[in-house]
């Protein structure tokens, strides 16, 4: 008897593993059984979300790349008759990121469960189902420009969708993410996977007002486990959109991660309100080339290096990242074989170097430059994560 496994999409956001016998088809379990038993007693849903590197040089707030470092959220719902847990939810957290910050285990404070509660409350579910256990395994360093917060926001909407059995599409979940994260590049990459270009729709005036609601109203301050009964503001429909680009299979991503934090909010505060026409045109010219440059095989180092230049965010962020100026100047395909291009990852301080070979050598040279400023680093060799956010059932 030949048995093979088949992964099939469940609504847009989940994935079920079926056992298929080749002579008689699907034998276990049936779709109906699975829909009924999702996140019910003793079944664990595993939500996996890739981290992201946003901007890739000139694509500030537009371009994102999902990378092969995944946040995992393991969820079980006990279906006990009553619960002593605040908002019916218990959180455990496994830190694989070596971050100093302690992540809160209070479901009203923790970013993932707070976002899940936002989604649930928009759908008239005031708390988690009784009793929800959420185990978070996080290898993504916090505040380093690898999209940890965007990944956590995506985890939150996936979690709310799952335990609330809301059945929302990923496209609609992106709207909810944008009420919190507000720039689409990193959340769209984590949600949909791959190398993406993103944009926001021009909204009607009444919808603009809804989207610009302060974050404190979308994610209200903790109320000590008490349900205030306030219904949070729902996002307008179809705020954000994305388009996937090709990625040449030879290109790998080296993330050099310094051991200090640059909160994204601080890295956005150093940016100017307006730009010269020359700088805007400079970025537009390169951003237009970037998808073709990174999607062509074999990769052309000169074209990629040029297409990754930026004048909109990196020059201003140099003040927050010692050594950035020098690294962006001396690391070129002419001085470093194997290197294709280099940029700040997201809001920094991580450096993203795209390369086809000599990964250790490239990482060592960048690490030495940081070391001359007394900054130590870890580095990781990553690949695009094409799947985006997934749910599987154990
Ligand atoms: N897995 C997580 N669980 C809870 N909170 C998280 C998680 N990941 C990130 N965060 C929150 O997001 C903050 C980092 O966000 P941000 O400054 O945007 O940096 P990054 O570039 O890593 O996204 C952290 O300080 C933490 O408060
Ligand atoms: N486009 C944003 C991206 C922020 O990404 P993160 O990984 O630093 O959260 C920006 O550059 O501010």
């Amino acid at each position: 008897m030949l048995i093979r496994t088949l992964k099939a999409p469940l609504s847009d956001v989940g994935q079920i593993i079926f056992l298929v016998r080749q002579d008689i088809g699907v034998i276990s379990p049936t779709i109906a059984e699975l829909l009924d038993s999702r996140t019910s007693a003793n079944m664990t849903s595993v939500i996996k979300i890739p981290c992201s590197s946003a901007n890739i040089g000139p694509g500030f707030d537009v371009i994102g790349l999902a990378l092969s470092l995944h946040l995992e959220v393991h969820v079980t719902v006990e279906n006990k008759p009553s619960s002593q847990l605040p908002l019916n939810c218990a959180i455990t957290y496994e830190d694989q990121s070596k971050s100093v910050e302690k992540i809160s285990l209070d479901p009203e404070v923790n970013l993932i469960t707070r976002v899940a509660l936002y989604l649930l409350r928009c759908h008239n579910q005031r708390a988690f189902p009784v009793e929800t256990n959420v185990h978070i395994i996080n290898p993504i360093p916090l505040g380093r420009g690898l999209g940890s917060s965007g990944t956590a926001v995506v985890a939150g909407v996936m979690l709310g969708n799952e335990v609330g059995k809301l059945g929302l599409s990923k496209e609609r979940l992106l709207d909810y993410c944008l009420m919190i994260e507000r720039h689409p590049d990193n959340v769209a990459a984590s949600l949909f996977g791959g190398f993406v270009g993103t944009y926001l729709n021009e909204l009607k005036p009444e919808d603009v007002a809804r989207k610009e609601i302060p974050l404190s109203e979308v994610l209200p301050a903790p109320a000590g486990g008490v349900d205030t009964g306030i219904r949070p503001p729902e996002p307008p429909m179809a705020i954000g959109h994305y388009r996937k680009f090709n990625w040449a299979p030879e290109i790998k991503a080296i993330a050099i991660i310094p051991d200090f934090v640059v909160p994204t909010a601080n890295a956005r505060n150093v940016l100017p309100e307006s730009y010269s026409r020359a700088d805007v045109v400079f970025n537009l010219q390169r951003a237009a080339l970037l998808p073709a440059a990174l999607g062509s095989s074999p990769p052309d180092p000169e074209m990629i290096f040029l297409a990754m230049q930026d004048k909109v965010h990196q020059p201003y962020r140099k003040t927050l990242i010692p050594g950035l100026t020098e690294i962006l100047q001396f690391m070129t395909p002419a001085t470093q074989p194997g290197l294709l291009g280099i940029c700040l990852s997201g809001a920094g301080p991580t450096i993203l170097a795209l390369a086809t070979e000599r990964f250790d050598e490239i990482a060592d040279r960048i690490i030495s430059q940081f070391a001359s400023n007394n900054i130590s680093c870890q580095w990781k060799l990553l690949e695009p994560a094409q799947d985006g956010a997934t749910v599987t059932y154990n």
Side-chain angles (χ1 to χ4, degrees), residues 52-56 59-65 111 144-154 173-192 196-201 211-213 215 239-242 262-269 271 313 317 345-348:
S52 68
S53 182
N55 307 323
I56 318 294
F60 176 71
D61 279 2
V62 176
I63 292 178
L65 173 65
L111 184 59
R144 309 294 169 86
L146 284 168
S148 75
S149 62
T151 309
V153 168
V154 171
L173 292 180
L174 178 61
D175 294 333
Y176 284 88
C177 292
L178 289 170
M179 291 293 279
I180 300 148
E181 193 70 2
R182 304 200 171 191
H183 45 86
D185 46 356
N186 54 4
V187 281
S190 288
L191 193 54
F192 298 104
V196 294
T198 64
Y199 62 95
L200 301 179
N201 265 5
K211 193 187 149 265
E212 286 176 356
I213 285 169
L215 191 58
I239 313 176
H241 301 269
Y242 77 103
V262 173
T264 302
N266 297 1
R268 293 179 80 81
N269 283 341
L271 303 182
H313 68 107
R317 290 173 163 170
S345 179

Side-chain angles (χ1 to χ4, degrees), residues 284-311:
L284 286 173
Q285 288 171 339
R286 277 138 194 90
L289 285 181
L290 194 63
L294 293 174
S296 302
S297 192
D300 174 347
E302 271 181 36
M303 178 59 72
I304 292 175
F305 189 78
L306 182 146
M308 286 176 68
Q309 300 303 303
D310 158 73
K311 289 196 177 180

Side-chain angles (χ1 to χ4, degrees), residues 71 93 101 103 110-112 136 138 141-150 152 181 262-265:
L71 173 72
Y93 182 77
E101 183 184 333
I103 291 294
N110 181 284
L111 184 59
I112 297 176
I136 301 163
N138 184 27
L142 307 177
R144 309 294 169 86
L146 284 168
S148 75
S149 62
E181 193 70 2
V262 173
T264 302

